[in-house]
Amino acid sequence: MSIYSIGLSALKAYSTKLETTAGNLANINTPGNKAGRVETIEAPSGGVSVSLSKNPSTAQPQNTPENQSAQVSDVDLATEIVDLTTTQRGYEANLKVLQTSDETLGKVLDIIS
C-alpha cells in the first residue's frame, strides 16, 4: 500500500470522526441522545478503517412534566472539544504527510529528468 493510500485512509477516518463530533455537539441538548464514537482500526494492508458506535445508555433520567422518564443527552461537552482538537491535529498531520510525500516525489522526478 502506498503512502498516498495510507494518508488518504487516515484523512477519511478523521473526516468521519469530525462528522460524528459535529453531530454530537449539534444534539447535545436532545433528550435521550447517545454520543456517537469513532474507533480507528489498523487495516491489515496498511492504513486505517473506522468503526462507528453509540455509547451505551449512561444518561441519567430527567423528570419533566411531559415525560417522567425522559433521559438527558449523554454528550459531554469537554470530551467533544478534546475530540475535536485531536481530530483537527490528526487531520493536519496526515495532510502534511501527503504534502511532504508529494514534494519528495517531485524532487525525485526533477533529479531523474
Side-chain angles (χ1 to χ4, degrees):
M1 184 172 247
S2 74
I3 189 70
Y4 290 106
S5 56
I6 292 170
L8 287 174
S9 73
L11 290 179
K12 288 178 187 175
Y14 281 114
S15 292
T16 301
K17 190 170 183 176
L18 180 62
E19 290 171 4
T20 302
T21 302
N24 289 343
L25 290 171
N27 292 303
I28 197 166
N29 292 322
T30 303
N33 180 55
K34 293 179 179 56
R37 293 287 166 240
V38 175
E39 183 179 337
T40 54
I41 303 163
E42 182 180 352
S45 60
V48 294
S49 60
V50 295
S51 171
L52 300 172
S53 64
K54 291 281 188 181
N55 275 349
S57 182
T58 57
Q60 298 298 318
Q62 177 184 24
N63 292 328
T64 62
E66 298 85 23
N67 186 351
Q68 293 299 322
S69 63
Q71 290 187 340
V72 296
S73 172
D74 71 346
V75 176
D76 178 40
L77 182 60
T79 301
E80 298 305 322
I81 296 299
V82 170
D83 283 350
L84 189 61
T85 303
T86 57
T87 299
Q88 177 186 2
R89 297 296 180 243
Y91 193 92
E92 289 171 352
N94 280 284
L95 188 58
K96 189 65 176 173
V97 166
L98 291 175
Q99 290 172 340
T100 303
S101 180
D102 188 47
E103 290 170 5
T104 303
L105 182 59
K107 288 178 184 180
V108 168
L109 292 175
D110 287 343
I111 292 170
I112 291 174
S113 59

